Amino acid sequence: MKSKLYRKILLATDDSESARKAADAALELAHLSGAKIYAVYVIDRSIYSSVPEDLEWEEAMYTRFRELGKEAVSYMEKAAKDTDLQVESVLLEGHPAEEIVNFAEKNGMDLIIIGSLGKSKIERFLIGSISEKVIRNSKVPVLVVHWKRP
């Protein structure tokens, strides 16, 4: 009997090793609960918003970010290919934490799964952490899969 606790799981991914560990956890949990997984990648346009306008360069970067996003969500699609799990890939644009939280709330997600790189206290203070921002702002439960760099 499948659980009804988790029917819709949002996996926030960026194709990092920590995101792959989070994807593995999402697959296991979805397998146990029968949930559908939404593999979400957010194109962070703020990364190049401070660069002087150059439409050709901007379009090239945007195209590359879309390619990276498709690669990131394809890991989940490939991992679930030989299972009975449903996976939907979603590419969003904006600030990653905000977009993840907004998508989860607007689409009735039961759980957000996100990886964490295990940044030092000073790194978190200086640049913040997407997983921490998601935890602070989400009304949906969040599972953080911690991965420490070797």
Side-chain angles (χ1 to χ4, degrees):
M1 180 175 157
K2 300 286 183 178
S3 167
K4 295 196 188 290
L5 181 60
Y6 302 120
R7 303 304 304 158
K8 296 167 99 176
I9 297 173
L10 185 158
L11 169 70
T13 185
D14 61 5
D15 207 27
S16 65
E17 188 61 33
S18 66
R20 288 177 187 245
K21 298 290 183 193
D24 294 341
L27 281 169
E28 183 67 26
L29 197 51
H31 178 72
L32 293 170
S33 67
K36 179 175 180 178
I37 299 172
Y38 294 79
V40 175
Y41 179 88
V42 181
I43 298 170
D44 187 353
R45 283 190 165 261
S46 69
I47 292 173
Y48 58 95
S49 63
S50 62
V51 177
E53 285 192 36
D54 178 345
L55 296 178
E56 187 176 316
W57 181 86
E58 186 175 331
E59 186 58 37
M61 288 304 298
Y62 179 69
T63 299
R64 181 64 185 136
F65 285 139
R66 287 192 63 76
E67 290 169 1
L68 291 171
K70 289 177 183 175
E71 289 172 22
V73 296
S74 73
Y75 175 81
M76 179 55 75
E77 292 170 347
K78 290 174 188 170
K81 185 178 180 182
D82 296 326
T83 69
D84 60 346
L85 298 176
Q86 291 181 303
V87 175
E88 183 175 323
S89 298
V90 180
L91 294 179
L92 303 172
E93 295 180 33
H95 295 286
E98 290 176 20
E99 293 300 322
I100 291 165
V101 169
N102 289 338
F103 183 87
E105 290 176 9
K106 288 179 183 174
N107 293 281
M109 296 295 124
D110 299 307
L111 180 68
I112 298 171
I113 299 179
I114 190 167
S116 172
L117 282 176
K119 294 179 181 176
S120 68
K121 289 181 183 177
I122 192 70
E123 286 176 309
R124 283 194 310 267
F125 175 75
L126 293 174
I127 60 175
S129 162
I130 292 171
S131 58
E132 284 185 51
K133 290 173 185 169
V134 169
I135 291 167
R136 274 192 230 124
N137 296 300
S138 179
K139 295 175 185 168
V140 175
V142 179
L143 171 64
V144 177
V145 178
H146 185 70
W147 180 75
K148 195 105 174 145
R149 294 180 194 139

